[in-house]
mmCIF file of all heavy atoms in Angstrom:
data_model
loop_
_atom_site.group_PDB
_atom_site.id
_atom_site.type_symbol
_atom_site.label_atom_id
_atom_site.label_comp_id
_atom_site.label_asym_id
_atom_site.label_seq_id
_atom_site.Cartn_x
_atom_site.Cartn_y
_atom_site.Cartn_z
ATOM 1 N N ILE L 74 -3.553 -6.474 5.767
ATOM 2 C CA ILE L 74 -4.623 -6.315 4.784
ATOM 3 C C ILE L 74 -5.141 -4.889 4.952
ATOM 4 O O ILE L 74 -5.729 -4.560 5.998
ATOM 5 C CB ILE L 74 -5.745 -7.352 4.991
ATOM 6 C CG1 ILE L 74 -5.166 -8.767 4.826
ATOM 7 C CG2 ILE L 74 -6.910 -7.100 4.032
ATOM 8 C CD1 ILE L 74 -6.112 -9.874 5.223
ATOM 9 N N PRO L 75 -4.902 -4.021 3.970
ATOM 10 C CA PRO L 75 -5.241 -2.603 4.123
ATOM 11 C C PRO L 75 -6.680 -2.340 4.572
ATOM 12 O O PRO L 75 -6.917 -1.474 5.419
ATOM 13 C CB PRO L 75 -4.962 -2.027 2.735
ATOM 14 C CG PRO L 75 -3.855 -2.893 2.208
ATOM 15 C CD PRO L 75 -4.198 -4.273 2.696
ATOM 16 N N GLU L 76 -7.628 -3.084 4.048
ATOM 17 C CA GLU L 76 -9.028 -2.873 4.421
ATOM 18 C C GLU L 76 -9.254 -3.138 5.911
ATOM 19 O O GLU L 76 -10.023 -2.428 6.563
ATOM 20 C CB GLU L 76 -9.939 -3.757 3.580
ATOM 21 C CG GLU L 76 -11.417 -3.464 3.790
ATOM 22 C CD GLU L 76 -12.294 -4.269 2.853
ATOM 23 O OE1 GLU L 76 -11.921 -4.460 1.683
ATOM 24 O OE2 GLU L 76 -13.358 -4.712 3.312
ATOM 25 N N ASP L 77 -8.572 -4.137 6.457
ATOM 26 C CA ASP L 77 -8.699 -4.427 7.889
ATOM 27 C C ASP L 77 -8.156 -3.281 8.733
ATOM 28 O O ASP L 77 -8.750 -2.900 9.744
ATOM 29 C CB ASP L 77 -7.970 -5.724 8.248
ATOM 30 C CG ASP L 77 -8.639 -6.964 7.664
ATOM 31 O OD1 ASP L 77 -9.788 -6.862 7.155
ATOM 32 O OD2 ASP L 77 -8.003 -8.037 7.701
ATOM 33 N N VAL L 78 -7.009 -2.721 8.337
ATOM 34 C CA VAL L 78 -6.431 -1.582 9.060
ATOM 35 C C VAL L 78 -7.365 -0.379 8.960
ATOM 36 O O VAL L 78 -7.615 0.305 9.960
ATOM 37 C CB VAL L 78 -5.020 -1.249 8.532
ATOM 38 C CG1 VAL L 78 -4.474 0.025 9.166
ATOM 39 C CG2 VAL L 78 -4.070 -2.429 8.777
ATOM 40 N N SER L 79 -7.906 -0.133 7.781
ATOM 41 C CA SER L 79 -8.854 0.976 7.605
ATOM 42 C C SER L 79 -10.062 0.821 8.518
ATOM 43 O O SER L 79 -10.512 1.793 9.136
ATOM 44 C CB SER L 79 -9.330 1.057 6.147
ATOM 45 O OG SER L 79 -8.265 1.392 5.298
ATOM 46 N N ASN L 80 -10.579 -0.392 8.622
ATOM 47 C CA ASN L 80 -11.731 -0.640 9.489
ATOM 48 C C ASN L 80 -11.393 -0.399 10.957
ATOM 49 O O ASN L 80 -12.206 0.156 11.697
ATOM 50 C CB ASN L 80 -12.266 -2.053 9.284
ATOM 51 C CG ASN L 80 -12.943 -2.224 7.936
ATOM 52 O OD1 ASN L 80 -13.390 -1.266 7.319
ATOM 53 N ND2 ASN L 80 -12.986 -3.453 7.458
ATOM 54 N N LEU L 81 -10.195 -0.794 11.381
ATOM 55 C CA LEU L 81 -9.780 -0.577 12.765
ATOM 56 C C LEU L 81 -9.592 0.912 13.078
ATOM 57 O O LEU L 81 -10.009 1.387 14.131
ATOM 58 C CB LEU L 81 -8.475 -1.324 13.061
ATOM 59 C CG LEU L 81 -8.576 -2.818 13.265
ATOM 60 C CD1 LEU L 81 -7.187 -3.455 13.295
ATOM 61 C CD2 LEU L 81 -9.319 -3.133 14.554
ATOM 62 N N LEU L 82 -8.963 1.632 12.157
ATOM 63 C CA LEU L 82 -8.636 3.034 12.404
ATOM 64 C C LEU L 82 -9.774 3.994 12.063
ATOM 65 O O LEU L 82 -9.780 5.131 12.529
ATOM 66 C CB LEU L 82 -7.378 3.431 11.632
ATOM 67 C CG LEU L 82 -6.087 2.777 12.119
ATOM 68 C CD1 LEU L 82 -4.915 3.171 11.223
ATOM 69 C CD2 LEU L 82 -5.806 3.151 13.563
ATOM 70 N N GLY L 83 -10.701 3.566 11.209
ATOM 71 C CA GLY L 83 -11.828 4.419 10.846
ATOM 72 C C GLY L 83 -11.536 5.409 9.745
ATOM 73 O O GLY L 83 -12.211 6.429 9.631
ATOM 74 N N ALA L 84 -10.535 5.117 8.911
ATOM 75 C CA ALA L 84 -10.195 6.016 7.803
ATOM 76 C C ALA L 84 -9.564 5.221 6.664
ATOM 77 O O ALA L 84 -9.007 4.142 6.874
ATOM 78 C CB ALA L 84 -9.222 7.096 8.267
ATOM 79 N N LYS L 85 -9.657 5.770 5.486
ATOM 80 C CA LYS L 85 -9.035 5.174 4.310
ATOM 81 C C LYS L 85 -7.604 5.710 4.182
ATOM 82 O O LYS L 85 -7.331 6.863 4.516
ATOM 83 C CB LYS L 85 -9.824 5.528 3.053
ATOM 84 C CG LYS L 85 -11.252 5.016 3.082
ATOM 85 C CD LYS L 85 -11.487 4.084 1.944
ATOM 86 C CE LYS L 85 -12.943 3.658 1.926
ATOM 87 N NZ LYS L 85 -13.084 2.274 2.293
ATOM 88 N N PRO L 86 -6.684 4.895 3.684
ATOM 89 C CA PRO L 86 -5.301 5.345 3.534
ATOM 90 C C PRO L 86 -5.119 6.247 2.313
ATOM 91 O O PRO L 86 -5.924 6.223 1.382
ATOM 92 C CB PRO L 86 -4.536 4.038 3.338
ATOM 93 C CG PRO L 86 -5.532 3.153 2.641
ATOM 94 C CD PRO L 86 -6.863 3.513 3.243
ATOM 95 N N THR L 87 -4.039 6.992 2.331
ATOM 96 C CA THR L 87 -3.612 7.742 1.151
ATOM 97 C C THR L 87 -3.094 6.766 0.100
ATOM 98 O O THR L 87 -3.338 6.917 -1.087
ATOM 99 C CB THR L 87 -2.498 8.744 1.521
ATOM 100 O OG1 THR L 87 -2.956 9.562 2.598
ATOM 101 C CG2 THR L 87 -2.130 9.620 0.341
ATOM 102 N N LYS L 88 -2.364 5.752 0.584
ATOM 103 C CA LYS L 88 -1.911 4.664 -0.286
ATOM 104 C C LYS L 88 -1.726 3.420 0.559
ATOM 105 O O LYS L 88 -1.499 3.495 1.768
ATOM 106 C CB LYS L 88 -0.636 5.035 -1.050
ATOM 107 C CG LYS L 88 0.607 5.129 -0.227
ATOM 108 C CD LYS L 88 1.813 5.434 -1.122
ATOM 109 C CE LYS L 88 3.098 5.322 -0.320
ATOM 110 N NZ LYS L 88 4.289 5.462 -1.146
ATOM 111 N N SER L 89 -1.850 2.277 -0.102
ATOM 112 C CA SER L 89 -1.692 1.010 0.600
ATOM 113 C C SER L 89 -1.378 -0.089 -0.402
ATOM 114 O O SER L 89 -1.579 0.073 -1.602
ATOM 115 C CB SER L 89 -2.973 0.660 1.365
ATOM 116 O OG SER L 89 -4.039 0.452 0.469
ATOM 117 N N LYS L 90 -0.881 -1.210 0.135
ATOM 118 C CA LYS L 90 -0.619 -2.378 -0.701
ATOM 119 C C LYS L 90 -0.511 -3.598 0.187
ATOM 120 O O LYS L 90 -0.264 -3.496 1.395
ATOM 121 C CB LYS L 90 0.651 -2.198 -1.519
ATOM 122 C CG LYS L 90 1.888 -2.026 -0.684
ATOM 123 C CD LYS L 90 3.088 -1.683 -1.539
ATOM 124 C CE LYS L 90 4.229 -1.253 -0.623
ATOM 125 N NZ LYS L 90 4.938 -0.123 -1.080
ATOM 126 N N MET L 91 -0.711 -4.738 -0.413
ATOM 127 C CA MET L 91 -0.522 -6.017 0.271
ATOM 128 C C MET L 91 0.794 -6.618 -0.210
ATOM 129 O O MET L 91 1.257 -6.331 -1.323
ATOM 130 C CB MET L 91 -1.682 -6.968 -0.033
ATOM 131 C CG MET L 91 -2.986 -6.537 0.594
ATOM 132 S SD MET L 91 -4.394 -7.612 0.206
ATOM 133 C CE MET L 91 -3.805 -9.198 0.717
ATOM 134 N N LYS L 92 1.387 -7.446 0.631
ATOM 135 C CA LYS L 92 2.596 -8.148 0.234
ATOM 136 C C LYS L 92 2.306 -8.916 -1.052
ATOM 137 O O LYS L 92 1.271 -9.569 -1.181
ATOM 138 C CB LYS L 92 3.021 -9.116 1.348
ATOM 139 C CG LYS L 92 4.291 -9.873 1.044
ATOM 140 C CD LYS L 92 4.686 -10.752 2.197
ATOM 141 C CE LYS L 92 5.979 -11.487 1.853
ATOM 142 N NZ LYS L 92 6.463 -12.263 3.001
ATOM 143 N N GLY L 93 3.201 -8.785 -2.019
ATOM 144 C CA GLY L 93 3.040 -9.476 -3.290
ATOM 145 C C GLY L 93 2.385 -8.638 -4.376
ATOM 146 O O GLY L 93 2.398 -9.027 -5.545
ATOM 147 N N ASP L 94 1.805 -7.481 -4.006
ATOM 148 C CA ASP L 94 1.210 -6.601 -5.019
ATOM 149 C C ASP L 94 2.298 -6.066 -5.949
ATOM 150 O O ASP L 94 3.433 -5.837 -5.531
ATOM 151 C CB ASP L 94 0.496 -5.405 -4.369
ATOM 152 C CG ASP L 94 -0.846 -5.767 -3.776
ATOM 153 O OD1 ASP L 94 -1.307 -6.910 -3.974
ATOM 154 O OD2 ASP L 94 -1.433 -4.903 -3.096
ATOM 155 N N GLU L 95 1.936 -5.859 -7.198
ATOM 156 C CA GLU L 95 2.859 -5.244 -8.150
ATOM 157 C C GLU L 95 2.827 -3.731 -7.974
ATOM 158 O O GLU L 95 1.767 -3.139 -7.796
ATOM 159 C CB GLU L 95 2.471 -5.577 -9.592
ATOM 160 C CG GLU L 95 2.779 -6.989 -9.988
ATOM 161 C CD GLU L 95 2.552 -7.242 -11.474
ATOM 162 O OE1 GLU L 95 2.060 -6.343 -12.186
ATOM 163 O OE2 GLU L 95 2.868 -8.356 -11.910
ATOM 164 N N GLU L 96 4.025 -3.130 -8.024
ATOM 165 C CA GLU L 96 4.157 -1.680 -7.964
ATOM 166 C C GLU L 96 4.914 -1.230 -9.205
ATOM 167 O O GLU L 96 5.898 -1.852 -9.595
ATOM 168 C CB GLU L 96 4.948 -1.246 -6.734
ATOM 169 C CG GLU L 96 4.328 -1.664 -5.416
ATOM 170 C CD GLU L 96 5.212 -1.280 -4.253
ATOM 171 O OE1 GLU L 96 6.209 -1.978 -4.027
ATOM 172 O OE2 GLU L 96 4.902 -0.270 -3.604
ATOM 173 N N VAL L 97 4.451 -0.131 -9.804
ATOM 174 C CA VAL L 97 5.118 0.415 -10.980
ATOM 175 C C VAL L 97 5.768 1.727 -10.581
ATOM 176 O O VAL L 97 5.112 2.626 -10.041
ATOM 177 C CB VAL L 97 4.120 0.647 -12.136
ATOM 178 C CG1 VAL L 97 4.819 1.231 -13.351
ATOM 179 C CG2 VAL L 97 3.422 -0.664 -12.487
ATOM 180 N N GLY L 98 7.086 1.848 -10.824
ATOM 181 C CA GLY L 98 7.822 3.068 -10.508
ATOM 182 C C GLY L 98 7.273 4.251 -11.279
ATOM 183 O O GLY L 98 7.008 4.142 -12.481
ATOM 184 N N LYS L 99 7.082 5.378 -10.576
ATOM 185 C CA LYS L 99 6.502 6.572 -11.213
ATOM 186 C C LYS L 99 7.355 7.100 -12.352
ATOM 187 O O LYS L 99 6.838 7.499 -13.385
ATOM 188 C CB LYS L 99 6.296 7.680 -10.175
ATOM 189 C CG LYS L 99 5.205 7.386 -9.185
ATOM 190 C CD LYS L 99 5.057 8.513 -8.183
ATOM 191 C CE LYS L 99 4.031 8.158 -7.135
ATOM 192 N NZ LYS L 99 3.908 9.186 -6.103
ATOM 193 N N THR L 100 8.666 7.136 -12.161
ATOM 194 C CA THR L 100 9.533 7.677 -13.204
ATOM 195 C C THR L 100 10.161 6.591 -14.065
ATOM 196 O O THR L 100 10.295 6.759 -15.266
ATOM 197 C CB THR L 100 10.647 8.555 -12.597
ATOM 198 O OG1 THR L 100 11.354 7.799 -11.623
ATOM 199 C CG2 THR L 100 10.066 9.796 -11.952
ATOM 200 N N SER L 101 10.527 5.459 -13.446
ATOM 201 C CA SER L 101 11.216 4.405 -14.200
ATOM 202 C C SER L 101 10.254 3.502 -14.962
ATOM 203 O O SER L 101 10.625 2.920 -15.976
ATOM 204 C CB SER L 101 12.059 3.545 -13.258
ATOM 205 O OG SER L 101 11.207 2.780 -12.414
ATOM 206 N N GLY L 102 9.032 3.367 -14.447
ATOM 207 C CA GLY L 102 8.080 2.460 -15.061
ATOM 208 C C GLY L 102 8.368 0.997 -14.753
ATOM 209 O O GLY L 102 7.662 0.108 -15.224
ATOM 210 N N LYS L 103 9.414 0.741 -13.956
ATOM 211 C CA LYS L 103 9.769 -0.637 -13.609
ATOM 212 C C LYS L 103 8.728 -1.228 -12.672
ATOM 213 O O LYS L 103 8.219 -0.563 -11.783
ATOM 214 C CB LYS L 103 11.133 -0.685 -12.931
ATOM 215 C CG LYS L 103 12.283 -0.415 -13.867
ATOM 216 C CD LYS L 103 13.598 -0.613 -13.138
ATOM 217 C CE LYS L 103 14.767 -0.378 -14.090
ATOM 218 N NZ LYS L 103 16.057 -0.592 -13.422
ATOM 219 N N VAL L 104 8.453 -2.495 -12.885
ATOM 220 C CA VAL L 104 7.502 -3.218 -12.042
ATOM 221 C C VAL L 104 8.297 -3.967 -10.989
ATOM 222 O O VAL L 104 9.294 -4.630 -11.297
ATOM 223 C CB VAL L 104 6.664 -4.209 -12.878
ATOM 224 C CG1 VAL L 104 5.752 -5.028 -11.986
ATOM 225 C CG2 VAL L 104 5.863 -3.466 -13.933
ATOM 226 N N ARG L 105 7.853 -3.823 -9.733
ATOM 227 C CA ARG L 105 8.468 -4.592 -8.659
ATOM 228 C C ARG L 105 7.361 -5.143 -7.778
ATOM 229 O O ARG L 105 6.235 -4.663 -7.800
ATOM 230 C CB ARG L 105 9.494 -3.793 -7.877
ATOM 231 C CG ARG L 105 8.960 -2.666 -7.065
ATOM 232 C CD ARG L 105 10.101 -1.985 -6.273
ATOM 233 N NE ARG L 105 9.583 -1.160 -5.216
ATOM 234 C CZ ARG L 105 9.352 -1.546 -3.975
ATOM 235 N NH1 ARG L 105 9.617 -2.787 -3.611
ATOM 236 N NH2 ARG L 105 8.859 -0.729 -3.072
ATOM 237 N N ILE L 106 7.694 -6.143 -7.023
ATOM 238 C CA ILE L 106 6.729 -6.813 -6.145
ATOM 239 C C ILE L 106 6.924 -6.292 -4.716
ATOM 240 O O ILE L 106 8.050 -6.265 -4.208
ATOM 241 C CB ILE L 106 6.929 -8.346 -6.184
ATOM 242 C CG1 ILE L 106 6.850 -8.865 -7.635
ATOM 243 C CG2 ILE L 106 5.918 -9.051 -5.289
ATOM 244 C CD1 ILE L 106 5.551 -8.575 -8.341
ATOM 245 N N ALA L 107 5.828 -5.903 -4.066
ATOM 246 C CA ALA L 107 5.892 -5.400 -2.689
ATOM 247 C C ALA L 107 6.397 -6.494 -1.758
ATOM 248 O O ALA L 107 5.843 -7.591 -1.728
ATOM 249 C CB ALA L 107 4.520 -4.914 -2.247
ATOM 250 N N LYS L 108 7.441 -6.189 -0.993
ATOM 251 C CA LYS L 108 8.036 -7.159 -0.077
ATOM 252 C C LYS L 108 7.234 -7.311 1.202
ATOM 253 O O LYS L 108 7.378 -8.298 1.921
ATOM 254 C CB LYS L 108 9.464 -6.759 0.251
ATOM 255 C CG LYS L 108 10.384 -6.839 -0.943
ATOM 256 C CD LYS L 108 11.793 -6.447 -0.593
ATOM 257 C CE LYS L 108 12.670 -6.506 -1.841
ATOM 258 N NZ LYS L 108 14.032 -6.069 -1.571
ATOM 259 N N THR L 109 6.403 -6.324 1.511
ATOM 260 C CA THR L 109 5.551 -6.379 2.693
ATOM 261 C C THR L 109 4.304 -5.541 2.433
ATOM 262 O O THR L 109 4.270 -4.749 1.490
ATOM 263 C CB THR L 109 6.314 -5.884 3.952
ATOM 264 O OG1 THR L 109 5.549 -6.218 5.107
ATOM 265 C CG2 THR L 109 6.581 -4.401 3.909
ATOM 266 N N GLY L 110 3.301 -5.711 3.256
ATOM 267 C CA GLY L 110 2.095 -4.901 3.142
ATOM 268 C C GLY L 110 2.301 -3.560 3.827
ATOM 269 O O GLY L 110 3.134 -3.429 4.725
ATOM 270 N N SER L 111 1.546 -2.548 3.391
ATOM 271 C CA SER L 111 1.667 -1.236 4.019
ATOM 272 C C SER L 111 0.369 -0.457 3.913
ATOM 273 O O SER L 111 -0.447 -0.685 3.022
ATOM 274 C CB SER L 111 2.817 -0.432 3.416
ATOM 275 O OG SER L 111 2.555 -0.131 2.066
ATOM 276 N N TRP L 112 0.219 0.461 4.867
ATOM 277 C CA TRP L 112 -0.937 1.365 4.946
ATOM 278 C C TRP L 112 -0.369 2.721 5.340
ATOM 279 O O TRP L 112 0.323 2.842 6.351
ATOM 280 C CB TRP L 112 -1.898 0.838 6.001
ATOM 281 C CG TRP L 112 -3.234 1.504 6.086
ATOM 282 C CD1 TRP L 112 -4.398 1.043 5.543
ATOM 283 C CD2 TRP L 112 -3.589 2.700 6.799
ATOM 284 N NE1 TRP L 112 -5.434 1.877 5.865
ATOM 285 C CE2 TRP L 112 -4.970 2.909 6.629
ATOM 286 C CE3 TRP L 112 -2.856 3.622 7.546
ATOM 287 C CZ2 TRP L 112 -5.626 3.998 7.186
ATOM 288 C CZ3 TRP L 112 -3.515 4.708 8.094
ATOM 289 C CH2 TRP L 112 -4.894 4.883 7.912
ATOM 290 N N HIS L 113 -0.607 3.748 4.511
ATOM 291 C CA HIS L 113 -0.057 5.084 4.751
ATOM 292 C C HIS L 113 -1.188 6.111 4.746
ATOM 293 O O HIS L 113 -2.057 6.074 3.867
ATOM 294 C CB HIS L 113 0.902 5.508 3.636
ATOM 295 C CG HIS L 113 2.100 4.635 3.491
ATOM 296 N ND1 HIS L 113 3.369 5.132 3.522
ATOM 297 C CD2 HIS L 113 2.243 3.303 3.308
ATOM 298 C CE1 HIS L 113 4.242 4.157 3.351
ATOM 299 N NE2 HIS L 113 3.568 3.035 3.223
ATOM 300 N N LEU L 114 -1.133 7.053 5.682
ATOM 301 C CA LEU L 114 -2.033 8.202 5.678
ATOM 302 C C LEU L 114 -1.169 9.456 5.750
ATOM 303 O O LEU L 114 -0.458 9.675 6.729
ATOM 304 C CB LEU L 114 -3.015 8.154 6.855
ATOM 305 C CG LEU L 114 -4.040 9.286 6.902
ATOM 306 C CD1 LEU L 114 -4.910 9.311 5.644
ATOM 307 C CD2 LEU L 114 -4.907 9.153 8.146
ATOM 308 N N HIS L 115 -1.224 10.258 4.681
ATOM 309 C CA HIS L 115 -0.389 11.452 4.552
ATOM 310 C C HIS L 115 -1.159 12.704 4.972
ATOM 311 O O HIS L 115 -2.357 12.825 4.703
ATOM 312 C CB HIS L 115 0.047 11.640 3.098
ATOM 313 C CG HIS L 115 0.941 10.554 2.604
ATOM 314 N ND1 HIS L 115 2.270 10.742 2.371
ATOM 315 C CD2 HIS L 115 0.694 9.252 2.313
ATOM 316 C CE1 HIS L 115 2.812 9.616 1.957
ATOM 317 N NE2 HIS L 115 1.861 8.683 1.904
ATOM 318 N N ALA L 116 -0.434 13.636 5.554
ATOM 319 C CA ALA L 116 -0.967 14.981 5.824
ATOM 320 C C ALA L 116 -0.600 15.875 4.643
ATOM 321 O O ALA L 116 0.291 15.559 3.854
ATOM 322 C CB ALA L 116 -0.353 15.543 7.102
#
């Protein structure tokens, strides 16, 4: 759960999703379902 990870680490992610969230491809526009949850912080 991205919010839980943010609370533990003390920062908001650059991007995040929960398993089952819909994702839309930037170039293709195709919708896919996230196979797992993720939390990313980019430099």
Side-chain angles (χ1 to χ4, degrees):
I74 299 171
E76 187 175 322
D77 291 349
V78 174
S79 294
N80 290 337
L81 284 170
L82 292 176
K85 299 240 184 250
T87 306
K88 71 177 188 174
S89 64
K90 61 187 169 223
M91 291 178 55
K92 181 177 181 175
D94 283 353
E95 286 187 355
E96 300 176 283
V97 179
K99 290 180 184 177
T100 55
S101 69
K103 288 185 178 181
V104 176
R105 67 177 196 91
I106 305 301
K108 294 180 182 177
T109 192
S111 65
W112 189 99
H113 298 235
L114 183 60
H115 295 252

